[in-house]
Amino acid sequence: MTKSKSAYSTPSKLGKLDTHIIVVWVDNESGVLARVVGLFSGRGYNIESLAVAEIDNKQNISRITIVTTGTPQVIEQIKLQLKKLVPVHKVADFEREDKKVIFKEMALLKIVANQAKIKKSLNACKKYNPVILDKTNKSVVIQVTALRREIDKMTKNLKPLGLVSASRTGAVAMTRGAEIFK
Amino acid sequence: MSKLISGAEIVFKALEDQNVEFIFGYPGGAVLPIYDELKNHKKIKHILVRHEQGAGHAAEGYARSSGKPGVVLVTSGPGATNVVTALTDAYMDSVPLVCISGQVPTHLIGTDAFQECDTTGITRPCTKHNWLVKDINDLPKIMHRAFEVATTGRPGPVLVDIPKDIQFAKTKYSKPKKEKKLNGKIKTKFNQKDIDQLINLMIKAKKPIFYTGGGVINSGPKASELLRELVNITGFPITSTLQGLGAFPGDDSQFIGMLGMHGTYEANNAMHDCDLLINIGARFDDRITGKIDEFSPNSKKVHIDIDPSSINKIVKVDLAIVGDVAEVISSTTKSLKNKNLNLEKSNKQKISSWWEKIQKWRTKKSLDYINSDKIIKPQHAVQRLYELTKNRDTYITTEVGQHQMWAAQHYPFSKPNRWMTSGGLGTMGYGLPAAVGVQIAHPKKLVVDIAGEASVLMTIQEMSTAVQYNLPIKIFILNNQYMGMVRQWQELLHEKNYSESYSAALPDFVKLAEAYGCVGIRAKTPGELDEKIQEMIDVDKPVIFDCCVDPHENCFPMIPSGKPHNQMLLGPKDQEENKITGKGKTLV
């Protein structure tokens, strides 16, 4: 290790990193996304994916879903810091492995290939609710919804079958059952 | 039906409704409508500074010494960017500021217009919240909300950016609604269970300590009174952070001095060895904790703070009580009394050996230095200043560096709101404009900026402000011709390579004072020091005091690099045995 002459302490050992899905309900006003994202970048937190849209146009509420990784301490800080932002109403935090919560991502996949390969591709997507949005003689656009790692795997598998373009959303989350997060 | 009034007038109406008496500012193209309106509002006095950073720090000094929010008014573009340092400073030290900035007219936003900048974008990370007012109808509500956010919960700066066309546009004014919410949004209330748990810990403790911070000051003068009562009835020792000085009397026997990097031997050792650490309104700053892994290793830790995000941020605690410091202390004291637990008596034996230990540490006299009769030692200068001013209600501000630490070590405070220093951000150039703000808030009081010659030059232009408003601030410069703290670190950590820390050209501060139209005084020898300080105090004009001190003095004690609290570096005598080595260098 090279000798640092920094005026600050060297970092102590890093704890275990967990992946969490943070859901934030915010006032849909200009700059609110910049506040949330700026908090993450300013404090060195990680954003793996991000999904934002207005969910209530009467009350002007948007729902931001952020997938992030961090030590338990960092995750706790993320929640507390988010709650301090003035336009934030509430913050939910789910572990990725949480069975009570549904996580989904959507992807649009364009495959350019011969009919045989296209058929193979569609077959490969079968498990992930494929919808054909566009079809020509030599191409197809498929919409799938699945988990991040499933889409990761699928795009890898579809490459040799003619996948030329993939467009993906960030993850969105919803609790199972009748309860809602308060 | 109320009549339609302009945005500029609404700004003043809102300020009047918040009982604002002073605004610190500097005019420019994009705020001219607001400046035009100023003449119609005699209750509000504008203090014209010489640089917008000065306006921000002056507002901070005003806020910290008066407990009221400071108000800043600047123009767009450079006006706004110049105030960013002060906003960040206020954000780090939790000072309530409301900054109003002009902006180019809405139709020009985004066109790179003259003196346009993305003010809300630039200030987003250094304010609690900010607003760009795009619709005149939102202005009254936003103005009221700005004050609410700045002053509630953990206080801090906010900014309202008002485009010029909005300042001209008209709407109806609505008064602020009266409701007090914590943090502007979250209503946090601790419960009696937390207090009972705290009391249980206090009863069990054999080596307890209170570690108090700026939160006590921010909670208002009542909090300091309550703290004194609590410390008194428990008999526990108390240490304070830099920002918390004055919340508890500095000359009380239970006060064991400031803690942290340049804290006393007894305070740091007590922090390390204690079995119960009660943090009241402090935030485990890295200048306090030293090496985190070895920070107070054997203690139960309690953290009382109004900001939930301060808890477990750096140090994991056993008991967290989220709430206003004054309320928590008051409930604790009440519960103690209800249970008729006079800890002082029942616990006296239990903690008597703890006190003995502390007394032993005290005999190290860690703040001692080798005085001289030939050259003024900076510590001696601060001590003399204290002796000659202690009988008046004196307000002290500082710049940043060695002089700041010496001031903290050698100038004890007996009341809150008397000590204004830039702790979190460490802003050189803070003290002079802050003194301007303090003097505005307390016109008859003695206000001294204990300064360094390097720091003070960063905002020296504000002397002109002091002269304009007849503010008799005293700029007490400990002039060692070096950026002293930089030089000290270079000496200790960088093999005495004094890279760029010596100011080979400095102004003649006495002549400089005269050029500004104030009084210049110079002291060169210890023999003439008292007489000169007295002269400074007696002059009813702003003074620049050039105190020529030993340029090679270092600030001790010091927690050396990579070491925990209980391995401090003491003064010159102790140094030989405690050389900083290898890995430790990284940890200053």
Side-chain angles (χ1 to χ4, degrees), chain A residues 65-98:
Chain A
T65 311
I66 301 167
V67 181
T68 185
T69 52
T71 59
Q73 221 171 347
V74 164
I75 299 289
E76 195 57 32
Q77 266 296 302
I78 290 176
K79 284 190 283 178
L80 292 170
Q81 293 289 354
L82 282 169
K83 282 181 189 167
K84 273 169 69 176
L85 296 180
V86 170
V88 168
H89 291 263
K90 55 180 181 175
V91 179
D93 160 36
F94 307 111
E95 267 184 80
R96 185 158 57 186
E97 313 308 329
D98 193 338

Side-chain angles (χ1 to χ4, degrees), chain A residues 78-168:
Chain A
I78 290 176
K79 284 190 283 178
L80 292 170
Q81 293 289 354
L82 282 169
K83 282 181 189 167
K84 273 169 69 176
L85 296 180
V86 170
V88 168
H89 291 263
K90 55 180 181 175
V91 179
D93 160 36
F94 307 111
E95 267 184 80
R96 185 158 57 186
E97 313 308 329
D98 193 338
K99 289 280 183 295
K100 289 189 199 129
V101 185
I102 306 159
F103 303 113
K104 279 284 178 267
E105 278 189 30
M106 193 188 84
L108 301 179
L109 308 168
K110 179 176 283 189
I111 289 150
V112 179
N114 59 35
Q115 286 303 320
K117 276 190 174 174
I118 286 177
K119 210 169 174 191
K120 260 190 182 168
S121 308
L122 283 168
N123 243 338
C125 298
K126 223 177 193 171
K127 270 189 1 210
Y128 308 116
N129 319 308
V131 180
I132 297 166
L133 299 176
D134 177 65
K135 203 173 175 186
T136 68
N137 279 341
K138 45 187 181 178
S139 76
V140 63
V141 176
I142 314 166
Q143 169 197 309
V144 291
T145 47
L147 292 174
R148 183 176 189 80
R149 54 173 175 268
E150 293 167 340
I151 298 178
D152 281 347
K153 204 171 144 197
M154 211 157 45
T155 48
K156 206 174 150 199
N157 293 342
L158 290 179
K159 275 260 165 69
L161 296 175
L163 176 70
V164 292
S165 182
S167 177
R168 297 171 63 168

Side-chain angles (χ1 to χ4, degrees), chain B residues 84 139 164 182 220 301 321 381 387 393 411 467 471 479 490:
Chain B
V84 166
L139 184 60
K164 195 168 179 178
L182 273 171
K301 296 175 186 71
I321 305 180
E387 290 301 328
D393 193 7
Y411 200 108
V467 171
L471 305 172
N479 185 347
Q490 288 173 332

Side-chain angles (χ1 to χ4, degrees), chain B residues 532-585:
Chain B
K532 296 277 171 94
I533 291 177
Q534 196 56 51
E535 187 188 338
M536 171 184 91
I537 297 167
D538 293 340
V539 182
D540 190 27
K541 281 179 105 178
V543 176
I544 298 180
F545 190 109
D546 187 16
C547 187
C548 307
V549 298
D550 184 351
H552 303 294
E553 191 68 18
N554 281 338
C555 184
F556 292 110
M558 180 175 177
I559 296 183
S561 340
K563 294 201 174 167
H565 273 166
N566 61 344
Q567 296 173 38
M568 299 191 73
L569 205 60
L570 296 176
K573 280 177 257 167
D574 195 65
Q575 270 180 51
E576 280 306 298
E577 304 135 41
N578 261 308
K579 280 259 165 74
I580 305 170
T581 49
K583 203 178 156 203
K585 282 188 177 175

Side-chain angles (χ1 to χ4, degrees), chain B residues 21 37 79 103 110 211 220 277 292-293 347 356 394 444 505 509 523 530 562 581:
Chain B
E21 292 173 85
E37 184 62 30
Q103 181 56 279
Y211 147 48
L277 185 162
I292 281 285
D293 303 342
N347 243 24
E356 271 165 38
T394 308
K444 300 265 182 267
F509 283 102
D530 276 27
T581 49

Side-chain angles (χ1 to χ4, degrees), chain A residues 25-27 29 32 35 84-89, chain B residues 129 185:
Chain A
W25 285 262
V26 298
D27 286 326
E29 59 185 31
V32 65
R35 278 180 217 286
K84 273 169 69 176
L85 296 180
V86 170
V88 168
H89 291 263
Chain B
H129 196 63
K185 52 180 309 203

